[in-house]
Amino acid sequence: MSTDSSISYHHDSAIDEKHAKALQFILDMTKNADSVQQKVLAEILAQNAETEYLRRYQLGGSTDRDTFKSKVPVVTYEDLQPEIQRIANGDRSAILSAHPISEFLTSSGTSAGERKLMPTIQEELDRRQVLYSLLTPVMNLYVPGLDKGKALYFYFVKSETKTPGGLLARPVLTSYYKSDHFKTRPYDPYNVYTSPNEAILCPDSFQSMYTQMLCGLYQREEVLRVGAVFASGLLRAIRFLQLNWRELVNDIATGTLSPKITDPSIQKCMVPLLKPNPELAEFITRECSQEKWEGIISRIWPNTKYLDVIVTGAMAQYIPTLEYYSGGLPMVCTMYASSECYFGLNLKPMCKPSEVSYTIMPSMAYFEFIPHEPSSASLTRDSPPPRLVDLVDVELGKEYELVVTTYAGLYRYRVGDILRVSGFHNSAPQFHFVRRKNVLLSIDSDKTDEAELQNAVENASMLLREFNTSVVEYTSFADSKSIPGHYVIYWELLVKDPSNWPTEQVLNNCCLAMEESLNSVYRQGRVADNSIGPLEIRVVKSGTFEALMDYAISRGASINQYKVPRCVNFTPIMELLDSRVVSVHFSPARPHWTPERRR
Ligand code: AMP
């Protein structure tokens, strides 16, 4: 086990005591990872001993790891569905947690097409806040002077609903931005945002983005970092600027606010900022009217030291585009978190995206790891389940699936993320985010699996019946070059009567039918967030998939075991497919989506 002690903990007087304390906290947690984990588990089990769920497993008051592991099963969301449904329906008894469930956090992971509902409790907000409070002190170790300017961060809230039993259900970041922790945060010179709370909290994504962009433009010289939670969000902001700069320039030139901004709280908070600034308007016009947008971020915000966006996992597909628009600014991935639990942070924030490792903070929850053998598909049904290992027992270079036990009442819950151990910080392992299990396609926070894609293709192909046509093969591709990105589905058709070829309109409608069949996070991205573009079907010549198989076999695939890949991104394969495209179709409308759940 190597020990990473490269972070120096000596601090000069300029760094305020709060930051020094945060670094000390990281040191304490990572040095004592195992004992912290033991304590966390004991606390969770003691706190929730009388819950219906834990009583079921007869722990008899034990709070030690061995008893816990031998009695409590490892579960998935689907296993907890009955309990979650009862809570959603209004059962307030202590089912999972001794503390009252304060709200549901809606995950971007779905179950039966709807966002998973993660129960949470009030005190979890404080725990998340602890993790947030560590980010700036770590950043200060690497980038000096962040207190000398501002952060242009594009943050958004999403719609919230109520469960039948009256509990709020909303994404974790929406919950956080609406909490007092965020809204009434004390002034901190290291965390001054250009975006007013009113803009961040505006539920209309256009008005929110418009205002945040306008504020960013007005304060362009003060901006030291530009960011969004995910890379896709920052690219959406760039696209927004491309589409709306003329209107923004008009506001800046005249010192007025576009009539499209109707939210009274935004109108009010913008008054002091809105001053006619013809020079700035001229500058932005000059930059934005250029054909090439290469380096636009550093041209408009010349003092930007880095981009603060997650570009690990599914977001890695956006690295080249972000490099293009930023002129190669460093990209910083600060933390790894989910609706279930906030996990940890990146202690070397200035490293290259491909080298990002997250150190799980042992105080956040109790963590276990299922060894993940890439070949586990070949294990027989009877082979014993792999033994789960503890946080400090994971081995360098190995891959694991993350399992959490939280204060809010998830016990041995499989998150679905695959992580690889890339090193240790003191005794705490650091993880490279490998991927989320079972995700075939992802553009923003949407996650589409193979079964969902299959179902969508089946539903859409119903429209082809009247043309005596079927889809014989298909594959897919997440096109992140367009902004927003979109799904591309390659279809090979069997048209039994060539004189009755499916019409253009019907094939367009097949795109929409596929979108209607995809999960609610996808449809929300299409409808409310504008983060996903219209789905595209590319019809390929008959025989294309055979050529694809020939290609795979020529590269060593076994004929017997060959399966059509349901998602592709390898350039030669894309070229093979694209060279055989006979027609291209886009969804003509947005699919149906409302914040309400279907079930
Ligand atoms: P959600 O449940 O919608 O909050 O999504 C949480 C999931 O997003 C995690 O389980 C990961 O799969 C993914 N995720 C969160 N943070 C990161 C990160 N820093 N890098 C890669 N993937 C992440």
Side-chain angles (χ1 to χ4, degrees):
M1 188 184 294
S2 72
T3 297
D4 182 346
S5 54
S6 57
I7 292 183
S8 60
Y9 290 95
H10 56 86
H11 47 93
D12 63 44
S13 54
I15 300 177
D16 82 86
E17 204 176 323
K18 204 172 76 186
H19 290 185
K21 265 194 184 153
L23 297 178
Q24 186 61 44
F25 178 79
I26 295 174
L27 184 63
D28 291 344
M29 288 299 121
T30 55
K31 270 194 161 168
N32 305 304
D34 198 44
S35 58
V36 174
Q37 280 284 277
Q38 192 178 355
K39 188 170 137 270
V40 164
L41 179 65
E43 270 175 21
I44 294 173
L45 295 182
Q47 184 170 309
N48 295 316
E50 294 307 314
T51 58
E52 185 186 316
Y53 191 83
L54 284 184
R55 286 174 69 107
R56 193 183 298 163
Y57 298 107
Q58 302 181 344
L59 293 172
S62 304
T63 60
D64 63 289
R65 288 191 256 213
D66 288 345
T67 312
F68 177 65
K69 286 179 190 231
S70 66
K71 300 209 163 181
V72 178
V74 177
V75 293
T76 62
Y77 184 80
E78 282 65 31
D79 296 322
L80 297 179
Q81 185 84 40
E83 283 80 12
I84 301 231
Q85 203 55 54
R86 277 171 57 206
I87 299 170
N89 290 343
D91 189 335
R92 295 278 189 275
S93 62
I95 299 175
L96 295 173
S97 169
H99 290 299
I101 301 299
S102 53
E103 61 182 316
F104 277 113
L105 302 176
T106 56
S107 168
S108 58
T110 56
S111 171
E114 294 293 333
R115 286 171 176 273
K116 291 177 184 167
L117 293 173
M118 296 300 167
T120 191
I121 55 177
Q122 196 61 35
E123 66 170 52
E124 276 295 281
L125 260 174
D126 303 328
R127 205 163 278 113
R128 284 183 218 119
Q129 187 61 39
V130 169
L131 195 64
Y132 281 124
S133 74
L134 306 178
L135 305 181
T136 308
V138 170
M139 210 61 227
N140 284 341
L141 295 174
Y142 297 93
V143 184
L146 290 176
D147 56 335
K148 306 290 185 296
K150 297 189 180 179
L152 165 53
Y153 284 171
F154 296 94
Y155 285 160
F156 301 91
V157 295
K158 294 195 183 192
S159 59
E160 49 191 42
T161 52
K162 285 227 164 117
T163 67
L167 280 173
L168 267 181
R170 54 190 180 179
V172 62
L173 288 174
T174 298
S175 166
Y176 175 65
Y177 299 141
K178 289 189 167 182
S179 72
D180 286 339
H181 280 104
F182 182 79
K183 281 196 299 194
T184 57
R185 59 197 181 276
Y187 175 79
D188 173 352
Y190 288 92
N191 277 312
V192 183
Y193 301 142
T194 55
S195 296
N197 286 357
E198 289 81 351
I200 293 172
L201 294 172
C202 174
D204 178 302
S205 63
F206 178 91
Q207 295 189 49
S208 174
M209 176 76 92
Y210 190 96
T211 312
Q212 299 196 49
M213 186 60 82
L214 188 59
C215 294
L217 293 172
Y218 263 114
Q219 301 167 73
R220 62 181 278 270
E221 281 168 4
E222 293 166 70
V223 169
L224 300 184
R225 47 205 169 129
V226 175
V229 177
F230 290 115
S232 53
L234 184 53
L235 286 171
R236 196 146 32 102
I238 303 300
R239 180 73 187 147
F240 186 90
L241 184 61
Q242 273 177 339
L243 295 174
N244 297 285
W245 64 265
R246 286 185 179 81
E247 197 155 353
L248 290 155
V249 158
N250 183 56
D251 287 2
I252 294 170
T254 57
T256 56
L257 192 58
S258 159
K260 285 185 189 157
I261 307 305
T262 55
D263 183 312
S265 61
I266 293 188
Q267 288 173 335
K268 189 162 161 236
C269 84
M270 289 301 284
V271 171
L273 195 73
L274 288 165
K275 305 244 161 43
N277 188 338
E279 273 160 47
L280 177 60
E282 212 174 286
F283 170 81
I284 294 165
T285 304
R286 212 166 42 238
E287 293 299 334
C288 292
S289 53
Q290 289 179 23
E291 202 156 300
K292 271 183 107 179
W293 272 49
E294 190 167 1
I296 192 79
I297 298 178
S298 33
R299 283 193 270 136
I300 294 195
W301 295 284
N303 300 317
T304 310
K305 294 173 191 257
Y306 64 90
L307 304 181
D308 191 335
V309 275
I310 292 176
V311 286
T312 43
M315 291 294 149
Q317 60 186 323
Y318 297 108
I319 294 172
T321 319
L322 271 182
E323 271 171 352
Y324 176 83
Y325 285 124
S326 73
L329 284 171
M331 293 172 212
V332 169
C333 302
T334 57
M335 68 190 254
Y336 169 43
S338 77
S339 317
E340 293 89 336
C341 174
Y342 278 23
F343 305 121
L345 75 169
N346 177 0
L347 294 175
K348 293 236 181 73
M350 297 310 282
C351 71
K352 283 195 284 191
S354 57
E355 284 163 14
V356 171
S357 293
Y358 298 103
T359 304
I360 289 187
M361 273 298 118
S363 53
M364 299 304 291
Y366 174 64
F367 300 100
E368 293 173 272
F369 297 83
I370 307 178
H372 179 76
E373 309 293 342
S375 61
S376 61
S378 61
L379 288 177
T380 64
R381 270 177 166 267
D382 305 327
S383 43
R387 221 174 56 82
L388 274 65
V389 294
D390 275 322
L391 183 64
V392 297
D393 295 331
V394 297
E395 292 175 44
L396 187 65
K398 293 211 170 140
E399 289 188 6
Y400 298 91
E401 182 187 337
L402 179 62
V403 172
V404 288
T405 296
T406 67
Y407 285 86
L410 297 174
Y411 307 94
R412 313 195 85 192
Y413 176 90
R414 296 171 80 149
V415 175
D417 288 347
I418 307 291
L419 310 173
R420 185 185 322 116
V421 183
S422 54
F424 285 83
H425 184 77
N426 301 314
S427 65
Q430 302 183 296
F431 295 94
H432 174 73
F433 183 92
V434 179
R435 63 189 172 86
R436 188 161 172 112
K437 269 179 25 184
N438 301 331
V439 175
L440 202 62
L441 289 166
S442 173
I443 288 292
D444 190 35
S445 51
D446 54 302
K447 299 164 178 61
T448 296
D449 69 21
E450 210 167 311
E452 289 171 316
L453 181 65
Q454 166 84 20
N455 179 46
V457 170
E458 277 170 15
N459 289 344
S461 61
M462 302 276 197
L463 301 179
L464 301 177
R465 278 192 182 166
E466 59 171 304
F467 297 91
N468 208 1
T469 294
S470 53
V471 179
V472 284
E473 274 307 351
Y474 67 92
T475 189
S476 67
F477 162 62
D479 184 350
S480 52
K481 296 276 165 350
S482 64
I483 305 178
H486 71 289
Y487 289 11
V488 175
I489 320 294
Y490 292 92
W491 270 12
E492 184 173 320
L493 300 179
L494 178 64
V495 185
K496 301 212 179 81
D497 173 7
S499 66
N500 188 22
W501 194 273
T503 61
E504 163 86 21
Q505 195 191 359
V506 158
L507 286 164
N508 294 345
N509 285 338
C510 286
C511 298
L512 183 56
M514 283 198 67
E515 296 197 300
E516 292 288 9
S517 309
L518 293 173
N519 67 48
S520 87
V521 176
Y522 174 90
R523 287 178 285 111
Q524 183 174 11
R526 282 281 286 128
V527 175
D529 306 342
N530 223 351
S531 57
I532 306 174
L535 184 141
E536 178 182 354
I537 290 177
R538 295 183 190 163
V539 177
V540 292
K541 268 193 253 177
S542 128
T544 300
F545 280 82
E546 216 174 302
L548 194 75
M549 179 174 78
D550 291 343
Y551 178 80
I553 288 165
S554 76
R555 285 176 51 98
S558 139
I559 301 185
N560 293 327
Q561 284 168 303
Y562 176 78
K563 288 181 207 72
V564 176
R566 291 304 178 206
C567 183
V568 294
N569 60 7
F570 182 52
T571 310
I573 290 189
M574 311 287 306
E575 284 171 358
L576 186 155
L577 289 165
D578 283 330
S579 67
R580 288 164 166 80
V581 170
V582 290
S583 63
V584 170
H585 309 272
F586 284 95
S587 189
R590 290 172 196 269
H592 173 84
W593 176 81
T594 64
E596 270 65 49
R597 304 166 68 82
R598 281 183 180 162
R599 293 174 304 122

